[in-house]
Amino acid sequence: MDSNKCQKSTTEILEEFPNAKRDKLIPILQRIQDSHRYLSKDSIRTISRFLNLPITKVYGVASFYNQFCFEPLGEYEIKICRGTACHVTGSLKILKYILSELKINENETTNDGLFTIKIVSCAGACGLAPVISINEIFHSQITLENVKKIILNLKKKEMIYEE
Ligand code: FES
């Protein structure tokens, strides 16, 4: 599946912010992160020129917030909550399964670019633990069986798109 088909370039996105000053840095970073799903070195450089800010400043601000990432995310960003409520209801088992099934470590993306795995400390839904999210859609009271099905279905879906 090619999610980048209609993606705007960094320069095109910056045209949405005419006369922007440095106070627009975070909205610009968010807009580019939302569109590209990460901040490339080229994007950082282009933003730096656009706002007349040093590259180190742009990078420094972006790296302060964990909403921004600097490597391309997989098509599916799976976040596994490892807070206390999720831990006691089985999130470690789920995490281990996903990492071993996808053969990656946390914060990594599979070679086919399909999955990125992240760990969060509390997703804010402890009463519904264990919780995972896939592209910001929450799956609560998730079981290992549910996870197996979800991963399998996502893989199948992608195979269909490739045909
Ligand atoms: S600990 Fe997982 S939602 Fe709070």
Side-chain angles (χ1 to χ4, degrees), residues 7 13 27-39 67-68:
Q7 190 184 77
I13 290 173
I28 286 171
L29 291 170
Q30 286 169 328
R31 179 70 184 83
I32 292 170
Q33 168 81 41
D34 285 348
S35 176
H36 300 177
R37 307 196 70 225
Y38 82 111
L39 302 171
Q67 64 178 295
F68 300 118

Side-chain angles (χ1 to χ4, degrees), residues 81-97:
C81 181
R82 288 286 295 127
T84 306
C86 288
H87 177 74
V88 297
T89 49
S91 68
L92 183 59
K93 204 167 46 177
I94 289 167
L95 173 65
K96 282 183 173 172
Y97 169 77

